[in-house]
Amino acid sequence: GFMKSLLGIISQPPYRGSQVLENIEAAMVAAVFDFKVSLLFRDEGLWALIKQQDAENLGQRTISKVLSALPTYEITAIYVGLEDLKQRDLLLSDLCLPVTLLDRAGQGALISRQHAVFGGSV
């Protein structure tokens, strides 16, 4: 069958409110329903990908642990904004998952190829 493509954009900081976790969980649910799901982390959303997070002291689920389950949902297309990574002095080795870097033009092309997009900046 024809799979609809869905892109989740994670641009909020991970532990300010529940939006990042909700977007990741929405992506997992969509994948269960046979959407072809990809995720784009940009702006402050990059912090969700950092290794060695521990949110227990915040009384929240640790987002990097939730993200580590994405491959079991066949969500393997994980993109990161190149400029956003550089601006935050982060390296690919700081991240908890393998990602593909996209510049602004690449992000625009990715977004334009989707049937639907959710998340992003509010």
Side-chain angles (χ1 to χ4, degrees), residues 22-85:
E22 286 168 8
N23 283 338
I24 293 163
E25 288 173 342
M28 290 173 166
V29 169
V32 169
F33 287 100
D34 283 338
F35 281 84
K36 186 178 186 296
V37 180
S38 44
L39 289 171
L40 169 61
F41 290 81
R42 62 184 186 189
D43 304 323
E44 296 301 299
L46 265 66
W47 300 110
L49 285 165
I50 300 297
K51 289 176 185 166
Q52 279 114 26
Q53 296 174 38
D54 188 2
E56 297 295 307
N57 57 349
L58 299 172
Q60 295 189 42
R61 289 166 68 195
T62 301
I63 289 177
S64 56
K65 286 182 185 161
V66 178
L67 289 172
S68 67
L70 287 177
T72 62
Y73 289 84
E74 295 178 23
I75 302 174
T76 54
I78 312 287
Y79 300 95
V80 162
L82 175 63
E83 293 91 346
D84 302 314
L85 192 80

